[in-house]
Amino acid sequence: MNSNRLLVALTALVLVGVSMPHHASGCEIDIDVIKGEKQAYAVGDQFMVLVKVVLTHRVCPEAINKTKFKLKGLKVLKATGWKQVTTTEYHRKLIVEVIDDTDDTLILSAIRKCDKDGGFGSLALEVVPRQ
């Protein structure tokens, strides 16, 4: 009898957890290859990405220039400044080069931290298989 009550209680907790709304991040970050897109990349390959940041809370206490980039296997060669496209959307273009293909995946991430949950966006690219 106790095991049935425990099972009912656990099931109820799981259902409540699934039905609760998930907390949205403070901003949405999208990163897309806009020039030089390939199925897989090798050392020396260069391409251009567009980073889009949308401030979902409209006003953010952190300046757009506080956006940090983290790279794995990649190096930024050139970057434009941030361009405000709308009152809540910013764009920046980066020219990126592959500098290390020892892992299976190359990663470019953008991170924003603030008291409104910040934001995170990531682009994962495949590496050309070694022969």
Side-chain angles (χ1 to χ4, degrees):
M1 188 83 165
N2 278 343
S3 63
N4 284 341
R5 284 185 181 172
L6 182 59
L7 181 61
V8 169
L10 286 173
T11 302
L13 282 173
V14 169
L15 290 175
V16 168
V18 170
S19 66
M20 291 179 71
H22 296 284
H23 194 12
S25 62
C27 42
E28 296 173 5
I29 303 174
D30 290 320
I31 306 170
D32 297 301
V33 177
I34 60 170
K35 187 175 181 184
E37 186 173 11
K38 296 181 171 186
Q39 289 289 329
Y41 295 82
V43 170
D45 286 346
Q46 294 180 8
F47 54 94
M48 183 183 292
V49 296
L50 176 63
V51 181
K52 296 179 192 175
V53 175
V54 178
L55 307 176
T56 56
H57 288 122
R58 293 186 208 160
V59 178
C60 184
E62 288 297 316
I64 191 67
N65 290 332
K66 299 274 183 158
T67 305
K68 302 286 186 210
F69 292 94
K70 185 175 177 184
L71 301 112
K72 182 178 129 192
L74 302 169
K75 174 173 83 172
V76 175
L77 299 176
K78 293 181 184 177
T80 65
W82 287 100
K83 180 180 178 186
Q84 188 170 4
V85 180
T86 69
T87 56
T88 59
E89 186 171 341
Y90 294 83
H91 291 182
R92 186 175 193 186
K93 293 178 184 175
L94 309 173
I95 295 177
V96 181
E97 181 177 14
V98 178
I99 59 169
D100 183 3
D101 63 357
T102 53
D103 286 332
D104 292 339
T105 307
L106 306 164
I107 300 174
L108 189 158
S109 300
I111 304 121
R112 289 185 49 79
K113 293 185 180 184
C114 73
D115 61 0
K116 296 183 178 184
D117 299 326
F120 178 82
S122 188
L123 173 68
L125 303 168
E126 290 186 37
V127 171
V128 173
R130 292 182 176 248
Q131 303 283 319

